[in-house]
Coordinates of all heavy atoms in Angstrom, one line a residue:
M1 N 34.8 -59.7 25.7 CA 34.5 -61.0 25.1 C 35.4 -62.1 25.7 O 36.5 -61.9 26.1 CB 34.9 -60.8 23.6 CG 34.7 -62.1 22.8 SD 35.3 -62.0 21.1 CE 33.8 -62.0 20.3
A2 N 34.8 -63.2 25.9 CA 35.5 -64.3 26.5 C 36.6 -64.9 25.6 O 36.5 -64.8 24.4 CB 34.6 -65.4 26.9
N3 N 37.7 -65.4 26.2 CA 38.8 -66.0 25.5 C 38.3 -67.3 24.9 O 37.9 -68.2 25.6 CB 40.0 -66.2 26.4 CG 41.2 -66.7 25.7 OD1 41.1 -67.0 24.6 ND2 42.3 -66.8 26.5
K4 N 38.5 -67.5 23.6 CA 38.1 -68.7 23.0 C 39.2 -69.8 23.0 O 38.9 -70.9 22.5 CB 37.6 -68.4 21.5 CG 36.3 -67.6 21.6 CD 35.8 -67.4 20.2 CE 34.7 -66.4 20.3 NZ 33.5 -66.7 19.7
N5 N 40.3 -69.4 23.4 CA 41.4 -70.4 23.5 C 41.6 -70.9 24.9 O 42.1 -70.2 25.8 CB 42.8 -69.7 23.0 CG 42.7 -69.3 21.6 OD1 42.2 -70.0 20.8 ND2 43.2 -68.1 21.3
C6 N 41.0 -72.0 25.1 CA 41.0 -72.6 26.5 C 42.1 -73.7 26.5 O 42.1 -74.7 25.8 CB 39.7 -73.3 26.8 SG 39.4 -73.7 28.5
S7 N 43.1 -73.4 27.4 CA 44.3 -74.3 27.4 C 44.0 -75.7 27.9 O 44.8 -76.6 27.6 CB 45.4 -73.7 28.3 OG 45.0 -73.5 29.6
N8 N 42.9 -75.9 28.6 CA 42.6 -77.2 29.2 C 41.4 -77.8 28.5 O 40.6 -78.6 29.0 CB 42.3 -77.1 30.7 CG 43.5 -76.7 31.4 OD1 44.6 -77.2 31.1 ND2 43.4 -75.8 32.4
M9 N 41.1 -77.4 27.2 CA 39.9 -77.8 26.5 C 39.7 -79.3 26.5 O 38.6 -79.8 26.7 CB 39.8 -77.2 25.1 CG 38.5 -77.4 24.5 SD 38.0 -76.0 23.6 CE 36.7 -76.7 22.7
A10 N 40.7 -80.1 26.2 CA 40.6 -81.6 26.1 C 40.2 -82.1 27.4 O 39.3 -83.0 27.5 CB 41.9 -82.2 25.6
S11 N 40.8 -81.7 28.5 CA 40.5 -82.1 29.8 C 39.1 -81.6 30.2 O 38.3 -82.4 30.8 CB 41.5 -81.6 30.8 OG 41.1 -81.9 32.1
N12 N 38.7 -80.4 29.8 CA 37.4 -79.8 30.1 C 36.3 -80.7 29.5 O 35.3 -81.0 30.1 CB 37.3 -78.4 29.7 CG 38.2 -77.4 30.5 OD1 38.7 -77.8 31.6 ND2 38.3 -76.3 30.0
L13 N 36.5 -81.0 28.2 CA 35.5 -81.8 27.4 C 35.4 -83.2 28.1 O 34.2 -83.7 28.1 CB 35.9 -81.9 26.0 CG 35.6 -80.7 25.1 CD1 36.3 -80.9 23.7 CD2 34.1 -80.5 25.0
K14 N 36.4 -83.8 28.5 CA 36.4 -85.1 29.1 C 35.5 -85.1 30.4 O 34.8 -86.0 30.7 CB 37.8 -85.6 29.4 CG 37.8 -87.0 29.9 CD 39.2 -87.6 30.0 CE 40.2 -86.7 30.6 NZ 41.5 -87.4 30.9
N15 N 35.6 -84.0 31.1 CA 34.9 -83.8 32.4 C 33.6 -83.1 32.3 O 32.9 -82.9 33.4 CB 35.8 -83.2 33.4 CG 37.0 -84.0 33.7 OD1 36.9 -85.2 34.0 ND2 38.2 -83.5 33.6
C16 N 33.3 -82.6 31.2 CA 32.0 -81.7 31.0 C 30.8 -82.6 31.2 O 30.6 -83.6 30.4 CB 32.1 -81.0 29.7 SG 30.7 -79.9 29.5
T17 N 29.9 -82.2 32.0 CA 28.7 -83.0 32.2 C 27.4 -82.4 31.5 O 26.3 -82.9 31.7 CB 28.3 -83.1 33.7 OG1 28.2 -81.8 34.3 CG2 29.4 -83.9 34.5
C18 N 27.7 -81.4 30.8 CA 26.6 -80.7 30.0 C 26.0 -81.7 29.0 O 26.8 -82.2 28.2 CB 27.1 -79.4 29.4 SG 25.8 -78.6 28.4
S19 N 24.7 -81.8 29.0 CA 24.1 -82.8 28.0 C 23.7 -82.1 26.7 O 23.2 -82.7 25.8 CB 22.9 -83.4 28.6 OG 21.9 -82.4 29.0
Y20 N 24.0 -80.8 26.6 CA 23.7 -80.1 25.3 C 24.9 -80.1 24.4 O 25.8 -79.3 24.5 CB 23.2 -78.6 25.6 CG 22.7 -77.9 24.4 CD1 21.6 -78.4 23.7 CD2 23.4 -76.8 23.9 CE1 21.1 -77.7 22.6 CE2 22.9 -76.2 22.7 CZ 21.8 -76.6 22.1 OH 21.3 -76.0 21.0
D21 N 25.0 -81.2 23.6 CA 26.2 -81.4 22.8 C 26.4 -80.4 21.7 O 27.6 -80.3 21.2 CB 26.1 -82.8 22.1 CG 26.2 -83.9 23.2 OD1 26.9 -83.7 24.2 OD2 25.5 -85.0 23.0
Y22 N 25.5 -79.6 21.3 CA 25.6 -78.7 20.2 C 26.1 -77.3 20.7 O 26.2 -76.4 19.9 CB 24.4 -78.5 19.4 CG 23.9 -79.9 18.8 CD1 22.9 -80.6 19.4 CD2 24.7 -80.4 17.8 CE1 22.6 -81.8 18.9 CE2 24.3 -81.7 17.3 CZ 23.3 -82.4 17.8 OH 22.9 -83.6 17.3
C23 N 26.3 -77.1 22.0 CA 26.7 -75.8 22.5 C 28.1 -75.5 22.1 O 29.1 -76.2 22.2 CB 26.7 -75.9 24.1 SG 27.2 -74.3 24.8
S24 N 28.3 -74.2 21.6 CA 29.6 -73.8 21.1 C 30.5 -73.5 22.2 O 31.7 -73.3 22.0 CB 29.4 -72.5 20.2 OG 28.8 -71.4 21.1
R25 N 30.0 -73.4 23.4 CA 30.9 -73.1 24.6 C 31.3 -74.4 25.3 O 32.0 -74.4 26.3 CB 30.1 -72.2 25.6 CG 29.9 -70.8 25.0 CD 29.0 -70.0 25.9 NE 27.6 -70.5 25.8 CZ 26.8 -70.2 24.8 NH1 27.2 -69.5 23.8 NH2 25.6 -70.7 24.7
K26 N 30.9 -75.6 24.9 CA 31.2 -76.9 25.5 C 32.7 -77.0 25.6 O 33.4 -77.0 24.6 CB 30.6 -78.0 24.8 CG 30.6 -79.3 25.6 CD 29.6 -80.3 24.9 CE 29.6 -81.6 25.7 NZ 28.8 -81.6 26.9
G27 N 33.2 -77.2 26.8 CA 34.7 -77.4 27.0 C 35.4 -76.1 27.2 O 36.6 -76.1 27.6
K28 N 34.7 -75.0 27.1 CA 35.3 -73.6 27.3 C 34.7 -73.1 28.5 O 33.8 -72.2 28.5 CB 35.0 -72.7 26.1 CG 35.6 -73.3 24.8 CD 35.1 -72.4 23.6 CE 35.5 -73.1 22.3 NZ 34.8 -72.4 21.2
C29 N 35.2 -73.6 29.7 CA 34.5 -73.3 31.0 C 34.4 -71.8 31.2 O 33.3 -71.4 31.7 CB 35.3 -74.0 32.1 SG 35.3 -75.8 31.9
C30 N 35.4 -71.0 31.0 CA 35.3 -69.6 31.3 C 34.2 -68.9 30.4 O 33.5 -68.1 30.9 CB 36.7 -68.9 31.0 SG 37.9 -69.4 32.2
E31 N 34.2 -69.3 29.2 CA 33.1 -68.8 28.3 C 31.7 -69.2 28.7 O 30.8 -68.4 28.7 CB 33.5 -69.2 26.8 CG 32.7 -68.4 25.8 CD 33.2 -68.7 24.4 OE1 34.4 -69.1 24.2 OE2 32.4 -68.7 23.5
C32 N 31.6 -70.5 29.1 CA 30.4 -71.0 29.5 C 29.9 -70.3 30.8 O 28.7 -69.9 30.9 CB 30.6 -72.5 29.8 SG 29.1 -73.4 30.4
L33 N 30.7 -70.2 31.7 CA 30.4 -69.5 33.0 C 29.9 -68.1 32.7 O 28.9 -67.6 33.2 CB 31.5 -69.5 34.0 CG 31.2 -69.0 35.4 CD1 30.0 -69.6 36.0 CD2 32.4 -69.1 36.2
S34 N 30.7 -67.4 31.9 CA 30.4 -66.0 31.5 C 29.0 -65.9 30.9 O 28.2 -65.0 31.2 CB 31.5 -65.4 30.6 OG 31.2 -64.1 30.3
Y35 N 28.7 -66.8 29.9 CA 27.5 -66.8 29.2 C 26.3 -67.0 30.2 O 25.3 -66.3 30.3 CB 27.4 -67.9 28.2 CG 26.1 -68.2 27.6 CD1 25.5 -67.3 26.6 CD2 25.3 -69.2 28.0 CE1 24.3 -67.5 26.1 CE2 24.1 -69.5 27.5 CZ 23.5 -68.6 26.5 OH 22.3 -68.8 26.0
H36 N 26.4 -68.1 31.0 CA 25.3 -68.4 31.9 C 25.1 -67.3 33.0 O 24.0 -67.0 33.3 CB 25.5 -69.8 32.5 CG 25.1 -70.9 31.6 ND1 23.9 -71.1 31.2 CD2 25.9 -71.7 30.9 CE1 23.9 -72.1 30.3 NE2 25.1 -72.5 30.1
W37 N 26.2 -66.8 33.5 CA 26.1 -65.8 34.6 C 25.4 -64.5 34.0 O 24.7 -63.8 34.7 CB 27.5 -65.4 35.1 CG 27.4 -64.7 36.4 CD1 27.8 -63.4 36.6 CD2 26.8 -65.1 37.6 NE1 27.5 -63.0 37.9 CE2 26.9 -64.0 38.5 CE3 26.1 -66.2 38.0 CZ2 26.4 -64.0 39.8 CZ3 25.6 -66.3 39.3 CH2 25.7 -65.2 40.2
S38 N 25.7 -64.2 32.7 CA 25.0 -63.0 32.1 C 23.5 -63.2 32.0 O 22.8 -62.2 31.9 CB 25.6 -62.7 30.7 OG 25.1 -63.7 29.8
R39 N 23.1 -64.4 32.1 CA 21.6 -64.7 32.1 C 21.1 -65.0 33.5 O 20.0 -65.6 33.6 CB 21.4 -65.9 31.1 CG 21.8 -65.6 29.7 CD 21.9 -66.9 28.8 NE 20.7 -67.7 28.9 CZ 19.7 -67.7 28.0 NH1 19.9 -66.9 27.0 NH2 18.7 -68.5 28.1
K40 N 21.9 -64.8 34.5 CA 21.5 -65.1 35.9 C 21.3 -66.6 36.1 O 20.4 -67.0 36.7 CB 20.3 -64.3 36.3 CG 20.5 -62.8 36.2 CD 21.5 -62.2 37.1 CE 21.6 -60.7 37.0 NZ 22.8 -60.2 36.5
E41 N 22.2 -67.4 35.5 CA 22.1 -68.8 35.5 C 23.5 -69.3 36.0 O 24.5 -68.6 36.0 CB 21.8 -69.4 34.2 CG 20.6 -69.0 33.6 CD 20.4 -69.6 32.1 OE1 21.4 -69.9 31.5 OE2 19.3 -69.6 31.7
L42 N 23.6 -70.6 36.2 CA 24.8 -71.3 36.4 C 25.0 -72.4 35.4 O 24.0 -72.9 34.8 CB 24.9 -72.0 37.8 CG 24.9 -71.0 39.0 CD1 24.7 -71.7 40.3 CD2 26.2 -70.2 39.0
P43 N 26.2 -72.8 35.0 CA 26.4 -73.9 34.0 C 25.8 -75.2 34.5 O 25.7 -75.5 35.7 CB 27.9 -74.0 33.9 CG 28.5 -72.8 34.5 CD 27.5 -72.3 35.5
G44 N 25.5 -76.1 33.5 CA 24.9 -77.4 33.8 C 25.8 -78.2 34.8 O 25.3 -79.0 35.5
C45 N 27.1 -78.0 34.7 CA 28.0 -78.8 35.5 C 27.8 -78.6 37.0 O 28.3 -79.3 37.9 CB 29.5 -78.6 35.1 SG 30.0 -76.9 35.3
M46 N 27.1 -77.5 37.4 CA 26.9 -77.2 38.8 C 25.7 -78.0 39.4 O 25.4 -77.8 40.5 CB 26.6 -75.7 38.9 CG 27.8 -74.8 38.5 SD 29.3 -75.1 39.4 CE 28.9 -74.4 41.0
F47 N 25.0 -78.7 38.5 CA 23.8 -79.4 38.9 C 23.9 -80.9 38.9 O 24.7 -81.4 38.1 CB 22.6 -79.0 38.0 CG 22.2 -77.5 38.1 CD1 22.8 -76.6 37.3 CD2 21.3 -77.1 39.0 CE1 22.5 -75.3 37.4 CE2 21.0 -75.8 39.1 CZ 21.6 -74.8 38.3
P48 N 23.2 -81.7 39.7 CA 23.2 -83.1 39.5 C 22.6 -83.5 38.2 O 21.8 -82.7 37.6 CB 22.3 -83.6 40.7 CG 21.6 -82.5 41.3 CD 22.3 -81.2 40.7
P49 N 23.0 -84.7 37.6 CA 22.6 -85.0 36.3 C 21.1 -85.0 36.0 O 20.7 -84.5 34.9 CB 23.1 -86.5 36.1 CG 24.2 -86.6 37.1 CD 23.8 -85.7 38.2
E50 N 20.3 -85.4 36.9 CA 18.8 -85.4 36.7 C 18.2 -84.0 36.6 O 17.2 -83.7 35.9 CB 18.1 -86.2 37.8 CG 18.1 -85.6 39.2 CD 19.4 -86.0 39.9 OE1 20.3 -86.7 39.4 OE2 19.5 -85.6 41.1
V51 N 18.9 -83.0 37.2 CA 18.4 -81.6 37.1 C 19.1 -81.0 35.9 O 18.4 -80.2 35.2 CB 18.8 -80.8 38.4 CG1 18.4 -79.4 38.3 CG2 18.1 -81.4 39.6
E52 N 20.3 -81.3 35.6 CA 21.0 -80.7 34.4 C 20.2 -81.0 33.2 O 20.1 -80.2 32.3 CB 22.4 -81.3 34.4 CG 23.3 -80.6 33.3 CD 23.0 -81.2 31.9 OE1 22.6 -82.4 31.7 OE2 23.1 -80.4 30.9
R53 N 19.7 -82.2 33.1 CA 19.0 -82.6 31.8 C 17.7 -81.8 31.6 O 17.1 -81.8 30.5 CB 18.6 -84.1 31.9 CG 19.9 -85.0 31.6 CD 19.5 -86.4 31.5 NE 19.0 -87.1 32.7 CZ 19.8 -87.6 33.6 NH1 21.1 -87.7 33.4 NH2 19.3 -88.2 34.7
T54 N 17.2 -81.1 32.6 CA 16.0 -80.3 32.5 C 16.3 -78.9 31.8 O 15.4 -78.2 31.4 CB 15.3 -80.0 33.8 OG1 16.1 -79.1 34.6 CG2 15.0 -81.3 34.6
Y55 N 17.6 -78.6 31.8 CA 18.1 -77.3 31.2 C 17.6 -76.1 32.1 O 17.7 -75.0 31.6 CB 17.7 -77.1 29.8 CG 18.4 -78.1 28.9 CD1 17.6 -79.0 28.1 CD2 19.7 -78.3 28.8 CE1 18.1 -79.9 27.3 CE2 20.3 -79.3 28.0 CZ 19.5 -80.1 27.2 OH 20.1 -81.0 26.4
D56 N 17.1 -76.4 33.3 CA 16.8 -75.3 34.2 C 18.1 -74.9 35.0 O 18.4 -75.6 35.9 CB 15.7 -75.7 35.2 CG 15.3 -74.5 36.1 OD1 15.9 -73.5 36.1 OD2 14.3 -74.7 36.9
R57 N 18.8 -73.9 34.5 CA 20.1 -73.5 35.1 C 19.9 -72.3 36.0 O 20.9 -71.7 36.4 CB 21.1 -73.2 34.0 CG 21.2 -74.2 32.9 CD 22.1 -75.0 32.7 NE 22.5 -75.6 31.5 CZ 22.3 -76.9 31.3 NH1 21.6 -77.6 32.1 NH2 22.9 -77.5 30.2
S58 N 18.7 -72.0 36.4 CA 18.4 -70.8 37.2 C 19.0 -70.9 38.6 O 19.2 -72.0 39.1 CB 16.9 -70.6 37.3 OG 16.3 -71.6 38.1
L59 N 19.3 -69.7 39.1 CA 19.8 -69.6 40.5 C 18.8 -70.2 41.5 O 19.1 -70.9 42.5 CB 20.1 -68.2 40.9 CG 21.3 -67.6 40.1 CD1 21.4 -66.1 40.4 CD2 22.6 -68.3 40.3
K60 N 17.5 -69.9 41.2 CA 16.4 -70.5 42.0 C 16.5 -72.0 42.1 O 16.4 -72.6 43.2 CB 15.1 -70.0 41.5 CG 13.9 -70.5 42.3 CD 12.6 -70.0 41.7 CE 11.4 -70.5 42.4 NZ 10.1 -70.0 41.9
R61 N 16.7 -72.6 40.9 CA 16.7 -74.1 40.9 C 18.0 -74.6 41.7 O 17.9 -75.6 42.4 CB 16.8 -74.6 39.5 CG 16.7 -76.1 39.4 CD 15.4 -76.6 39.9 NE 15.3 -78.0 39.6 CZ 14.9 -78.9 40.5 NH1 14.6 -78.5 41.8 NH2 14.9 -80.2 40.3
F62 N 19.1 -73.9 41.5 CA 20.3 -74.3 42.2 C 20.1 -74.2 43.8 O 20.4 -75.2 44.5 CB 21.4 -73.3 41.9 CG 22.7 -73.6 42.5 CD1 23.6 -74.6 42.0 CD2 23.2 -73.0 43.7 CE1 24.8 -74.9 42.6 CE2 24.4 -73.2 44.3 CZ 25.2 -74.2 43.7
I63 N 19.4 -73.2 44.2 CA 19.1 -73.1 45.6 C 18.1 -74.1 46.1 O 18.3 -74.7 47.2 CB 18.6 -71.6 46.0 CG1 19.7 -70.6 45.8 CG2 18.0 -71.6 47.4 CD1 19.3 -69.2 45.8
Q64 N 17.1 -74.5 45.3 CA 16.2 -75.6 45.6 C 17.0 -76.9 45.8 O 16.7 -77.6 46.7 CB 15.2 -75.7 44.5 CG 14.1 -74.6 44.4 CD 13.2 -74.8 43.2 OE1 13.5 -75.5 42.3 NE2 12.1 -74.1 43.3
V65 N 17.9 -77.1 44.9 CA 18.7 -78.4 45.0 C 19.6 -78.4 46.1 O 19.7 -79.4 46.8 CB 19.5 -78.6 43.6 CG1 20.4 -79.8 43.7 CG2 18.5 -78.8 42.5
Y66 N 20.4 -77.4 46.4 CA 21.4 -77.4 47.4 C 21.2 -76.6 48.6 O 22.0 -76.6 49.5 CB 22.7 -76.9 46.7 CG 23.3 -77.8 45.7 CD1 23.2 -77.5 44.3 CD2 23.8 -79.1 46.0 CE1 23.7 -78.3 43.3 CE2 24.2 -79.9 45.0 CZ 24.2 -79.6 43.7 OH 24.7 -80.4 42.7
G67 N 20.0 -75.9 48.7 CA 19.7 -75.0 49.8 C 19.7 -75.6 51.2 O 20.1 -75.0 52.1
N68 N 19.3 -76.8 51.3 CA 19.2 -77.5 52.6 C 20.3 -78.5 52.8 O 20.2 -79.3 53.8 CB 17.9 -78.2 52.7 CG 16.7 -77.2 52.7 OD1 16.9 -76.1 53.3 ND2 15.6 -77.5 52.1
K69 N 21.3 -78.5 52.0 CA 22.4 -79.5 52.2 C 23.6 -78.9 52.9 O 23.9 -77.8 52.9 CB 22.9 -80.0 50.8 CG 21.8 -80.8 50.2 CD 22.2 -81.5 48.9 CE 21.1 -82.3 48.4 NZ 21.4 -83.1 47.3

């Protein structure tokens, strides 16, 4: 189980680019990464804003966005 006590939570929230405001993992980066990775996804913060807003966090989408850069 992921640690729910994130020592940098205030800083994480300030810098979090996830547009899903109701997420219980928002600001808890380790928990967020663990959750998305278990689903073969990456967190929204790994994507540019226009892609993040689509909620397509798949590895395939990440490679489409960054594969040729």
Side-chain angles (χ1 to χ4, degrees):
M1 178 186 254
N3 183 355
K4 295 185 187 230
N5 296 319
C6 192
S7 62
N8 296 319
M9 189 140 164
S11 177
N12 292 347
L13 280 171
K14 185 169 47 170
N15 296 308
C16 184
T17 59
C18 178
S19 62
Y20 188 64
D21 291 328
Y22 302 104
C23 181
S24 64
R25 292 169 290 279
K26 193 165 180 76
K28 300 173 188 171
C29 298
C30 294
E31 195 172 329
C32 177
L33 183 58
S34 178
Y35 169 78
H36 284 289
W37 193 244
S38 74
R39 300 166 51 97
K40 304 295 187 243
E41 301 173 338
L42 292 170
C45 61
M46 301 297 293
F47 296 90
E50 65 277 4
V51 177
E52 187 280 330
R53 285 189 291 273
T54 70
Y55 298 120
D56 181 355
R57 311 252 205 254
S58 67
L59 297 175
K60 180 179 178 180
R61 185 65 174 131
F62 181 81
I63 292 167
Q64 287 174 341
V65 170
Y66 294 109
N68 293 325
K69 292 185 179 190

